[in-house]
């Protein structure tokens, strides 16, 4: 599905990603953990197509296509989704209107038929029920005045609507109460299938209790320094990152 | 051609000498006064504060000609689709009866000025040249000296206009200057709306519209100005409003295009417990210049004014906003709010925004804010990440930004028309 090779990225001359190698196959769920500032969100942004970063080395292929050559919207149209660590508020842009436009642009790109208003409404109902998003939130401006948890839920709701093939979730669990966490996990799990992959960035083992990853990676100082199974997350929760740093040193 | 002190505006407009007798002593009188004023009024330059960012050179030096009557024009392309309105059409300043609606409700008088000066003599004379100051303001003087025609609208006492009046001005002849003069009288207790479209179809063109509006006690009037010029059109628009007690006035100014546009709404709140709204949206592109100079004058207690102007300034274009609010010594308990917000889309684009509050009363609530920034890049990225292409995402954000102003218009058809025009322009 996605193959990241020796990826280096800098911002304003500072190298933040220092050679990332990561391969995620269709149907797999990978988790990335790592200390604050290690580059997790940077990796997510670079994959999603944010232009602030300069890619100095390496490559990323997405189903055989060169991901780094694509504009952010093309990546979305190809099936990539990023749930943001800090979803922005966009006053004046209605959640529903923009989703409808996005969905139809994506469908047009994929050569699918455009959604009828009726189909869209059905989807809207179904998917917002899935993440138990308060009906009123859909009709408001994107994230405007939403609580931290509501913003995260809105992102997952959008993911459910857009049905990506590869979803990156950047600390979707932070700021969620226990119930919301379960709901979000339920949403993700219901979308899991053999063709769809996830990259889950988190600081807490707790989320991984709900969404069982196939692999857990540790990102530290711009590199993946350790990879293991779900048990690695448990160990990190218990011991922190110091032992890995020592191991690496 | 460079501007020198010796250039007389009279030379430029020499060919415009109207027939000495208009048939109206009122018109003849103010015309003569305006011409005398033109001889003396200095041409504003960069040192004139009110014109610092807006050079007037092309307007007063180009060899403008008067327009001829009878130009062919395809009206179907001028109307606002599906707009249900009483229509009145002027082509190059000339009234076109055959394109205008004849049948109006009984309690409304809608006439070209050329008829109204006789048919509505008393009302006409009570307003014409009484609210607009042709002694002090160059462009008003110019208008008063050479105005050919315009619209006269009178809403009779306690009447409610069931649908808007739509005045369409289309300008079709290159190198012409057209001065238009309007009178609006909303009598006591009346209610109505007028849409005023200025559409330029040739270039260069110089158009100047001055509207004197009297909103009487307990009357409510809305004026929507739709300005769609060309990259070589020069358009001045001044509204001189006298507003009575318990009344409301709204002026919405939507400037879609135009090489040079200057708006000067001037509201005088003369009766207490009155409220006025000035809303504006502007989208200069290329090398366009759009200047909104507003004046709200609180003369009496217990009035409110609300001003919201929003603009998106593209490429090498310029935007200017100057919002003057006077709160006179008697105007206690005034509430005055003013907000100007701008997005500058390129490094070559510029925006000059200046609130000017002059407050001479102590028990008042006045606030003003002015912001000029760039498009929110994080928001842009968010929308792109959800699959919207760059242009669509940008448009969506622009739409959201100015939507706050456009949504204040009441007519759905008008709003849709504005969005469509904007999309065409920014595509
Ligand atoms: N646009 C930017 N400009 C300057 N520095 C940046 C930029 N983006 C990221 N950085 C820096 O890169 C480093 C990695 O940041 P990143 O947000 O990727 O960390 P993270 O692993 O997601 O941390 P956290 O766990 O706190 O979310 C940080 O030191 C950050 O300050
Ligand atoms: Mg982060």
């Amino acid at each position: 599905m996605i193959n990241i090779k020796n990826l280096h990225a800098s911002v304003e001359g500072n190298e933040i990603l220092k050679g990332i190698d990561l391969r995620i196959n269709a149907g797999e769920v990978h988790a990335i953990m790592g200390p604050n500032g290690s580059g997790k969100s940077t990796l997510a942004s670079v994959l999603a197509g944010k232009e602030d970063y300069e890619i100095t080395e390496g490559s990323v292929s997405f189903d055989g296509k060169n991901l780094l050559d694509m504009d952010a919207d093309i990546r979305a149209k190809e099936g990539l989704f990023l749930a943001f660590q800090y979803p922005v508020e966009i006053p004046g842009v209605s959640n529903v209107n923009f989703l409808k436009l996005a969905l139809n642009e994506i469908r047009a790109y994929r050569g699918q038929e455009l959604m009828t208003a009726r189909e869209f409404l059905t989807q809207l109902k179904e998917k917002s029920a899935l993440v138990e998003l308060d009906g009123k939130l859909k009709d408001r401006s994107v994230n405007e005045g939403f609580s931290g948890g509501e913003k995260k839920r809105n992102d997952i709701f959008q993911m459910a609507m857009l049905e990506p093939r590869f979803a990156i979730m950047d600390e979707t669990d932070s700021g969620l109460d226990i119930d919301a966490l379960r709901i979000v996990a339920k949403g993700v799990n219901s979308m899991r299938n053999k063709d769809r992959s996830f990259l889950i960035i988190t600081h807490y083992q707790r989320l991984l209790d709900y969404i069982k990853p196939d692999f857990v990676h540790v990102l530290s100082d711009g590199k993946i320094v350790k990879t293991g199974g779900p048990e690695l997350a448990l160990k990190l929760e218990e011991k922190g990152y110091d032992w890995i740093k020592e191991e690496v040193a | 051609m460079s501007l020198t002190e010796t250039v007389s505006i009279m030379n430029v407009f020499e060919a415009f000498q109207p027939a000495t007798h208009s048939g109206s002593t009122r018109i003849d009188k103010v015309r003569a006064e305006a011409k005398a004023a033109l001889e003396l009024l200095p041409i504003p330059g960069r040192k004139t504060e009110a014109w610092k960012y807006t050079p007037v050179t092309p307007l007063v030096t180009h060899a403008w000609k008067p327009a001829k009557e009878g130009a062919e024009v395809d009206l179907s392309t001028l109307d606002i689709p599906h707009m249900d309105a009483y229509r009145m059409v002027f082509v190059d300043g000339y009234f076109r009866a055959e394109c205008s609606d004849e049948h109006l409700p009984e309690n409304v008088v809608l006439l070209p000025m050329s008829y109204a000066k006789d048919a509505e003599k008393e009302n006409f004379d009570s307003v014409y040249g009484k609210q607009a100051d042709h002694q002090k303001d160059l462009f008003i003087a110019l208008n008063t000296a050479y105005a050919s025609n315009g619209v006269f609208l009178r809403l009779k006492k306690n009447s409610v206009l069931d649908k808007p009046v739509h005045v369409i001005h289309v300008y079709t002849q290159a190198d012409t200057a057209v001065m238009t003069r309007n009178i609006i009288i909303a009598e006591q207790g009346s209610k109505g709306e007028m849409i005023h479209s200025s559409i330029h179809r040739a270039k260069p063109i110089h158009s100047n519209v001055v509207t004197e509006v009297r909103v009487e006690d307990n009357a409510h009037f809305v004026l929507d100005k739709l300005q769609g010029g060309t990259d070589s059109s020069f358009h001045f628009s001044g509204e001189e409003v006298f507003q009575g007690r318990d009344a409301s006035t709204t002026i919405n100014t939507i400037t879609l295009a135009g090489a040079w546009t200057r708006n000067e709404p001037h509201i005088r709140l003369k009766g207490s417990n009155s409220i006025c709204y000035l809303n504006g949206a502007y989208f200069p592109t290329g090398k366009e210049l759009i200047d909104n100079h507003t004046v709200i004058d609180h003369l009496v207690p217990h009035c409110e004014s609300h001003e919201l102007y929003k603009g998106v300034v593209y490429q090498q274009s310029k935007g200017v906003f100057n919002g003057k609010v006077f709160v006179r010594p008697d105007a206690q308990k005034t509430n005055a709010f003013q907000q100007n917000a701008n997005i500058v889309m390129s490094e070559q684009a510029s925006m000059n925004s200046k609130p000017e509050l002059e407050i001479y009363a102590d028990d008042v609530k006045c606030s003003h804010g002015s912001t000029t920034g760039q498009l929110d890049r994080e928001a842009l990225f968010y929308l792109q990440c959800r699959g919207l292409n760059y242009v669509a995402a940008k448009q969506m954000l622009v739409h959201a930004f100015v939507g706050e102003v456009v949504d204040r218009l009441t007519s759905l058809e008008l709003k849709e028309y504005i969005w469509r025009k904007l999309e065409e322009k920014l595509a």
Side-chain angles (χ1 to χ4, degrees), chain A residues 11-12 16 34-42 52-53 85 171 203:
Chain A
V11 63
E12 286 152 19
I16 296 168
N36 292 132
S38 57
K40 302 182 298 295
S41 295
T42 303
D52 304 9
Y53 305 94
Q85 181 171 2
E171 297 199 25
H203 285 293

Side-chain angles (χ1 to χ4, degrees), chain B residues 112-151:
Chain B
M113 293 282 260
S114 48
Y115 300 178
K117 68 181 196 300
D118 303 320
E120 286 276 324
K121 186 174 185 319
E122 205 172 311
N123 289 308
F124 184 96
D125 289 356
S126 73
V127 177
Y128 197 90
K130 296 254 168 89
Q131 299 182 192
D133 188 348
H134 51 266
Q135 307 279 6
K136 287 210 191 90
D137 187 307
L138 181 77
F139 287 94
I140 289 176
L142 203 54
N143 183 287
T144 310
Y146 301 116
S148 47
N149 211 340
V151 29

